[in-house]
């Protein structure tokens, strides 16, 4: 057991291929989002920008019944190569269209591929490193993705100014092509288990696995609540900074960068949590940090206080996301992991869409400061409730961790 825990994830050849390639792909996604936001906002109103954001979100929700079945029902290499090629085609298409309708349609196609590729990679990575290194690998992966996303966001505007929107979108398509090549080079394969029918169940199989676990049935609904109240503030953040504090667009970008940097550190730290109990506490602490920081930002009288709040929100978000992802994988049976991850991704996206609507309504009724404070208090309350419920399941968490370790030793 000690030897397993001391093993570096980078000693695995496939991990050395997969994690950097996935991070590169997320950098390409950030570049594409900047390029598309600039294209859509030029000559179109806020409704067009909202439509673009929905185009990124809705396909993941629509694919909930199908994505998990595909991931659990077919060879992982086949799934990853074909979903990646779909994204390559959509990315190239986006580079050569200009009108809003075709742009939105191709973004939907792009996200259809992502709705399958995301769970496929999420279910394959545990096969590469083994059960005991899932937490560390998840934290490292999300930290790398955070770095890549920040770099992509910074590079997106520069690329659009240098090579235009088409060039920037072709860069994104190239990152998907790299991921397709890596999928073909990865030696580890994930195939349906003999005697099982992964085509059955779909989203319900994933949700049954979540609600059948003593820990996940508490933390996943808590995550959904966090998404609703936490992401609602994203709608009004720009108004808090520019209107309430009277700062310029560059300060808004600095706050976003601080949040991203905090998320990288939070995800990295979460990867150092070795047991389910520690990860469960990490989720609760992350939620509380996000809520408390939301209140701080809502009451901030200057940019320094706002920056502290934004950084701490990032820390909490990174810890929450990485710890939840690791728990979902470690506490789910291998044969249904594709459906569990797909169900989690799809439901989170559903609540993200609701958060956009809630944020707009809350901003109109409460104003930017009131929205931050109210959502922050709601997050803290949710964290307190989840913490109490998790404390009551302490024996279940310990037993599940021991069972996982014994199973790993027996193999």
């Amino acid at each position: 057991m000690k030897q397993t825990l001391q093993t570096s994830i980078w000693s695995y050849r496939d991990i050395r291929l997969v994690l950097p390639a996935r991070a590169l792909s997320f950098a390409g996604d950030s570049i594409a989002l900047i390029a598309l936001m600039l294209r859509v906002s030029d000559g179109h109103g806020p409704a067009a920008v909202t439509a673009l954001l929905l185009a990124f979100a809705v396909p993941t929700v629509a694919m909930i019944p199908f994505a998990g079945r595909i991931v659990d029902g077919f060879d992982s290499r086949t799934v990853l190569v074909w979903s990646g090629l779909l994204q390559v085609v959509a990315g190239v298409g986006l580079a050569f269209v200009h009108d809003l309708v075709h742009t939105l349609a191709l973004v939907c196609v792009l996200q259809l591929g992502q709705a399958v590729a995301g769970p496929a990679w999420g279910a394959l990575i545990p096969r590469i490193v083994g059960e005991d290194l899932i937490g560390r690998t998840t934290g490292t992966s999300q930290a790398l993705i955070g770095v890549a996303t920040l770099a992509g966001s910074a590079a997106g505007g520069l690329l659009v100014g240098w090579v235009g929107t088409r060039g920037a979108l072709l860069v994104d398509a190239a990152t998907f092509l790299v991921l397709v090549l890596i999928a073909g080079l990865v030696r580890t394969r994930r195939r349906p288990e003999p005697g099982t029918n992964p085509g059955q169940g779909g989203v319900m199989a994933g949700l049954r696995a979540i609600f059948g676990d003593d820990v996940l049935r508490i933390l996943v609904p808590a995550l959904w609540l966090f998404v609703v109240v936490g992401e609602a503030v994203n709608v009004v953040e720009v108004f808090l900074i520019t209107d309430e504090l009277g700062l310029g667009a560059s300060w808004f970008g600095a706050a976003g960068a601080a949040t991203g940097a905090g998320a990288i550190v939070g995800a990295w730290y979460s990867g150092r949590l070795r047991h389910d109990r520690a990860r469960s506490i990490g989720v609760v602490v992350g939620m509380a940090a996000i809520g408390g920081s939301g209140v701080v930002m809502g009451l901030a009288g200057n940019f320094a206080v706002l920056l502290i709040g934004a950084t701490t929100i990032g820390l909490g978000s990174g810890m929450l996301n990485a710890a939840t992802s690791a728990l979902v994988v470690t506490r789910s049976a291998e044969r249904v992991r594709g459906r569990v991850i797909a169900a989690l991704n799809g439901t989170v996206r559903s609540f993200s869409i609701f958060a956009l609507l809630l944020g707009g309504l809350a901003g109109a009724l409460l104003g930017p400061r009131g929205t931050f404070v109210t959502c922050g208090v709601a997050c803290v309350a949710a964290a307190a409730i989840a913490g109490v419920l998790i404390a009551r399941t302490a024996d279940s968490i310990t037993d599940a961790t021991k069972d996982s370790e014994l199973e790993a030793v027996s193999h």
Side-chain angles (χ1 to χ4, degrees):
M1 185 64 185
K2 288 184 178 179
Q3 183 178 4
T4 302
L5 290 176
Q6 292 170 357
T7 301
S8 169
I9 63 172
W10 301 111
S11 64
Y12 294 89
R13 168 194 175 271
D14 286 348
I15 285 295
R16 295 197 299 271
L17 293 173
V18 171
L19 295 196
R22 290 203 74 203
L24 178 65
S25 177
F26 274 87
D29 290 346
S30 295
I31 291 170
L33 181 60
I34 295 294
L36 291 170
M37 289 284 281
L38 291 171
R39 173 194 285 179
V40 169
S41 63
D42 184 17
H44 300 282
V49 175
T50 302
L52 177 65
L53 295 176
L54 289 173
F56 273 99
V58 170
T60 305
V61 178
M63 285 293 289
I64 294 177
F66 313 107
R69 294 183 183 182
I70 294 171
V71 172
D72 288 335
F74 296 92
D75 183 282
S76 58
R77 182 176 294 174
T78 302
V79 172
L80 289 169
V81 168
W82 283 105
S83 61
L85 286 174
L86 181 65
Q87 291 177 291
V88 172
V89 171
V92 173
L94 282 168
F96 289 94
V97 301
H98 300 283
D99 62 289
L100 181 61
V101 173
H102 285 96
T103 295
L104 296 178
L106 285 170
V107 168
C108 287
V109 174
L110 188 75
Q111 292 304 100
L112 288 175
Q114 179 59 32
V116 175
W121 285 115
L124 178 64
I125 287 174
R127 274 286 181 92
I128 298 174
V129 299
E131 300 293 319
D132 291 322
L133 291 176
I134 289 174
R136 195 185 307 179
T137 307
T138 300
T140 302
S141 176
Q142 294 208 9
L144 286 174
I145 288 170
V147 173
T149 300
L150 275 180
S153 298
L158 296 175
L159 275 173
V160 171
W162 182 33
V163 296
T165 301
R166 175 177 295 177
L169 291 170
L170 286 175
V171 169
D172 181 41
T175 65
F176 286 123
L177 184 59
V178 169
L179 207 52
V180 169
L181 296 175
I182 293 300
L185 291 173
V186 168
R187 294 170 182 165
T188 308
R189 306 282 281 272
R190 183 174 182 271
R191 298 181 176 92
E193 293 184 5
T196 63
N197 186 358
Q200 290 184 344
V203 64
M204 292 310 300
L207 291 175
R208 277 196 300 270
I210 290 172
F211 285 100
D213 182 87
D214 291 341
V215 176
L216 298 183
R217 70 161 63 111
I218 298 170
L219 295 183
V220 170
L223 175 65
W224 292 337
L225 177 61
F226 153 73
V227 169
V228 171
V229 298
E231 294 194 12
V233 301
N234 292 342
V235 179
V236 299
E237 183 179 9
V238 64
F239 301 108
L240 174 68
I241 294 172
T242 58
D243 294 347
E244 299 290 333
L245 292 176
L247 301 172
S250 59
W251 296 104
F252 175 62
T259 301
I264 294 167
V265 176
W268 175 86
Y269 176 77
S270 177
R272 270 59 196 165
L273 303 176
R274 293 181 175 177
H275 303 292
D276 286 358
R277 180 169 176 77
R279 294 182 191 119
S280 300
I281 294 172
V283 172
V284 175
V285 170
M287 287 187 66
I290 292 163
S293 300
V295 175
V296 169
M297 290 182 70
L299 300 176
N302 55 63
F303 184 72
V305 175
L306 185 92
L307 197 64
I308 293 171
T311 304
T312 310
I313 280 182
L315 282 166
S317 298
M319 187 184 303
L320 170 71
N321 291 331
T324 302
S325 297
L327 282 168
V328 165
V329 173
T330 57
R331 299 185 71 87
S332 300
E334 206 283 334
R335 66 182 182 278
V336 297
R337 278 180 180 161
R339 282 165 285 181
V340 171
I341 297 171
L344 179 68
N345 291 349
T347 52
V348 165
R349 278 293 198 176
S350 300
F351 285 105
S352 293
I353 295 171
F354 179 64
L356 290 174
L357 303 175
L358 180 64
L361 178 62
L365 295 176
L366 305 174
R369 289 188 182 275
T371 300
F372 264 87
V373 172
T374 302
C375 289
V377 170
C379 272
V380 171
I385 295 170
V388 171
L389 294 175
I390 283 296
R392 293 178 178 176
T393 63
D395 292 339
S396 172
I397 298 174
T398 303
D399 290 341
T401 303
K402 288 180 179 178
D403 290 345
S404 174
E405 292 175 358
L406 290 172
E407 184 179 354
V409 171
S410 67
H411 285 297

